[in-house]
């Protein structure tokens, strides 16, 4: 496993460089620019702005300067937020999205694993049909429908939670509804994968043997079946965690949460080259690390997996 981990870590800078290179040239070749939507700028003013941010240099030189700055940990200045650097913007918004994503991940795992196990244990019964019908609804409904429904019920009708806003980590109740909104589609997918994995394991000979020995059903489920049944969920968690941890533009917009998702979409709309690349790098690093953690966890759960 150590050799496998070392290989993956050595591959990470190469993968990131490819991602950065493709993203850099895609955003530069896209129509428009960071100063194309400012109205009719004076040509001298526009030339001064382009010179300030190095946009007057050849494209290959811009790329070389950007990669050189990255080697020093500098993501560059934001072209639409001149008083802030990209490092400052990401440092300010990323913790909010990570906290929201962590809470949503906990909700998704708790709801999804529980529903999947119950459906598998009551296969082809009312609980199974009801649970799978709920997962279809969870997968089908977009977050911009789920969010207002939860706001209507929990905030306006029952008045249990705030309807929107963000008050920092000192007031986590503001994140309950957005985290639940973000988690429900993932919980539905986790439930379906968990059900399929548990049904496969429950039909194995070693489970029949454990039941034949007279072991309690809880022991059979949690000690003998769960480790194998959760494997499909572990495979899904790599990209899912990266997605859920970085939050969602729709959820952050509905609940007015100042997270990284809103900045990412705004930067793409405004052609803020450096902020787009900075958020892409953050997403890329999270995706690589989460996939690596998922692969290592899968190998730990399933001894048949070889890292050779």
């Amino acid at each position: 496993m150590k050799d496998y981990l070392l290989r993956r870590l050595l591959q990470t800078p190469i993968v990131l460089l490819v991602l950065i290179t493709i993203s850099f040239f895609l955003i530069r070749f896209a129509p428009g620019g960071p100063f194309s939507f400012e109205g009719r700028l004076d040509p001298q003013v526009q030339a001064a702005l382009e010179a300030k941010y190095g946009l007057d240099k050849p494209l290959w030189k811009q790329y070389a300067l950007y990669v050189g700055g990255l080697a020093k940990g500098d993501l560059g200045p934001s072209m639409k937020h001149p008083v802030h650097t990209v490092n400052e913007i990401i440092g300010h918004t990323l913790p909010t999205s990570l906290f929201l994503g962590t809470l949503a991940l906990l909700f998704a795992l708790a709801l999804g694993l529980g529903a999947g196990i119950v459906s598998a244990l009551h296969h082809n019964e009312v609980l199974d049909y009801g649970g799978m019908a709920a997962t279809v609804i969870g997968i089908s409904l977009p977050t911009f429908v789920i969010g207002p429904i939860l706001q209507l019920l929990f905030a306006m009708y029952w008045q249990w939670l705030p309807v929107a806003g963000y008050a920092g980590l000192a007031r986590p109740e503001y994140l309950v509804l957005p985290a639940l909104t973000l988690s429900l589609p993932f919980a539905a997918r986790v439930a379906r994968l968990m059900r399929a994995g548990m049904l496969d394991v429950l039909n194995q000979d070693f489970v029949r043997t454990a039941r034949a020995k007279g072991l309690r059903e809880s022991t059979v489920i949690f000690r003998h079946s769960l480790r194998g049944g959760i494997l499909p969920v572990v495979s899904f968690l790599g990209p899912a965690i990266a997605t859920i941890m970085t939050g969602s533009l729709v959820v952050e917009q509905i609940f007015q949460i100042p997270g990284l998702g809103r900045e990412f979409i705004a930067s793409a709309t405004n052609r803020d080259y450096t902020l787009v690349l900075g958020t892409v790098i953050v997403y890329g690093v999270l995706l690589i690390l989460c996939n690596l953690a998922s692969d290592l966890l899968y190998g730990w759960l399933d001894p048949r997996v070889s890292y050779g």
Side-chain angles (χ1 to χ4, degrees):
M1 181 180 294
K2 291 182 179 179
D3 293 339
Y4 174 79
L5 179 60
L6 181 61
R7 287 199 305 270
R8 290 288 296 268
L9 292 177
L10 291 176
Q11 292 171 1
T12 298
I14 301 174
V15 174
L16 283 176
L17 182 60
V18 172
L19 174 65
I20 293 166
T21 302
I22 294 174
S23 302
F24 181 91
F25 288 103
L26 279 179
I27 190 67
R28 294 306 174 93
F29 290 145
F35 309 113
S36 300
F37 307 100
E38 300 289 345
R40 294 183 178 180
L41 284 177
D42 185 273
Q44 293 182 343
V45 174
Q46 184 162 350
L49 288 172
E50 292 178 350
K52 177 182 177 181
Y53 294 105
L55 300 180
D56 57 338
K57 296 180 174 62
L59 195 56
W60 67 267
K61 193 169 185 178
Q62 295 180 42
Y63 173 75
L65 290 173
Y66 184 77
V67 174
L70 282 182
K72 303 175 184 177
D74 183 14
L75 296 173
S78 170
M79 298 177 182
K80 288 296 180 178
H81 304 278
V83 296
H84 297 291
T85 65
V86 175
N87 294 63
E88 292 172 345
I89 294 173
I90 292 178
H92 180 69
T93 57
L94 181 59
T96 303
S97 291
L98 289 179
F99 187 73
L100 171 62
T102 301
L103 194 58
L105 179 63
L106 294 176
F107 285 163
L109 290 177
L111 295 172
L113 294 178
I117 292 172
V118 170
S119 293
L121 295 177
H122 298 275
H123 184 46
N124 288 336
E125 297 179 8
V126 175
L127 285 176
D128 185 22
Y129 295 142
M132 290 304 99
T135 61
V136 171
I137 296 174
I139 294 173
S140 303
L141 285 179
T143 52
F144 62 79
V145 173
I146 298 175
I149 291 176
L150 294 181
Q151 285 177 320
L152 181 64
L153 293 176
F154 290 94
M156 301 181 67
Y157 185 73
W158 293 318
Q159 298 183 356
W160 290 350
L161 295 167
V163 66
Y166 180 69
L169 302 184
R171 299 289 300 277
E173 64 269 19
Y174 280 90
L175 289 177
V176 173
L177 283 183
L180 192 59
T181 302
L182 184 58
S183 70
L184 288 180
F186 291 94
R189 291 175 173 85
V190 168
R192 294 180 69 86
L193 291 171
M194 190 66 201
R195 174 182 178 271
M198 286 295 293
L199 286 177
D200 180 61
V201 172
L202 290 174
N203 292 321
Q204 299 293 327
D205 292 337
F206 71 91
V207 175
R208 298 193 188 98
T209 302
R211 283 174 171 161
K213 289 180 178 179
L215 296 179
R216 289 181 299 179
E217 188 66 14
S218 60
T219 303
V220 173
I221 298 302
F222 293 104
R223 187 172 180 179
H224 295 278
S225 305
L226 187 60
R227 184 166 180 169
I230 204 173
L231 290 178
V233 177
V234 173
S235 299
F236 168 73
L237 282 182
I241 290 176
T243 303
I244 202 172
M245 290 290 282
T246 49
S248 165
L249 167 68
V250 175
V251 173
E252 291 176 0
Q253 190 68 37
I254 291 173
F255 294 95
Q256 296 300 300
I257 296 175
L260 186 61
R262 293 174 66 182
E263 292 292 343
F264 177 63
I265 300 300
S267 65
T269 303
N270 294 329
R271 296 293 191 271
D272 192 340
Y273 294 154
T274 49
L275 188 52
V276 169
L277 290 171
T279 51
V280 166
I281 291 170
V282 171
Y283 287 141
V285 170
L286 282 173
L287 184 59
I288 291 171
L289 293 180
C290 290
N291 278 329
L292 176 59
S294 175
D295 291 343
L296 294 176
L297 180 59
Y298 194 103
W300 178 74
L301 290 171
D302 190 351
R304 296 171 298 179
V305 174
S306 172
Y307 290 106

